[in-house]
Amino acid sequence: MATVELTKENFDRTVSENDFVLIDFWASWCGPCRQFAPVYEKAAERHPDLVFAKVDTEAQQELAAAFEIRSIPTLMIVRENVAVFAQPGALPEAALEDVIGQARALDMDEVRASVAKAAKAQEKK
């Protein structure tokens, strides 16, 4: 499956309609982004059941700002509308596969419970 280009117009729909979305925040002038692109594309081919998306931070500055992207490339993984991973830097192929495996293995009921608990603790402050 080819990667999906995310914009502010299709971002929410793409993330809410798919249980597992990987998002590569990148820019055409960024050397590490260009280096990471073929690794990301290969992973997309290996995992056709997942949505691999890209956000061009130059064209989609509002999205980049909304997610406080300070360094590119940044990889984010959203499972069931919860951001479960976000890390700047170009990952080597083995590291990307490891991250995908870890994200697949997450118990999302536990993740949601943890998020709710953290939100409740934040409200008390």
Side-chain angles (χ1 to χ4, degrees):
M1 176 182 199
T3 57
V4 177
E5 189 67 34
L6 291 181
T7 64
K8 66 181 182 180
E9 289 77 24
N10 71 356
F11 186 93
D12 289 339
R13 184 180 72 247
T14 301
V15 170
S16 64
E17 291 178 359
N18 296 283
D19 286 344
F20 198 121
V21 183
L22 293 95
I23 306 165
D24 175 21
F25 290 88
W26 69 286
S28 60
W29 52 262
C30 165
C33 297
R34 290 193 308 273
Q35 191 177 11
F36 181 58
V39 172
Y40 193 69
E41 293 292 334
K42 271 190 203 170
E45 290 170 15
R46 276 194 303 274
H47 301 278
D49 58 319
L50 307 180
V51 175
F52 283 74
K54 294 177 88 68
V55 173
D56 180 344
T57 57
E58 290 295 304
Q60 300 298 321
Q61 294 182 11
E62 285 180 50
L63 271 181
F67 287 96
E68 300 179 1
I69 302 301
R70 303 276 181 256
S71 179
I72 54 174
T74 289
L75 177 67
M76 181 178 288
I77 298 177
V78 179
R79 275 202 57 199
E80 299 174 21
N81 287 314
V82 178
V84 296
F85 178 85
Q87 178 179 307
L91 295 174
E93 194 170 326
L96 178 57
E97 287 299 318
D98 184 50
V99 166
I100 292 169
Q102 288 182 49
R104 279 187 189 272
L106 288 172
D107 178 331
M108 290 308 293
D109 290 333
E110 282 183 22
V111 170
R112 279 188 290 280
S114 177
V115 168
K117 185 178 177 182
K120 219 176 233 183
Q122 197 63 25
E123 286 174 9
K124 291 179 181 178
K125 288 184 179 181

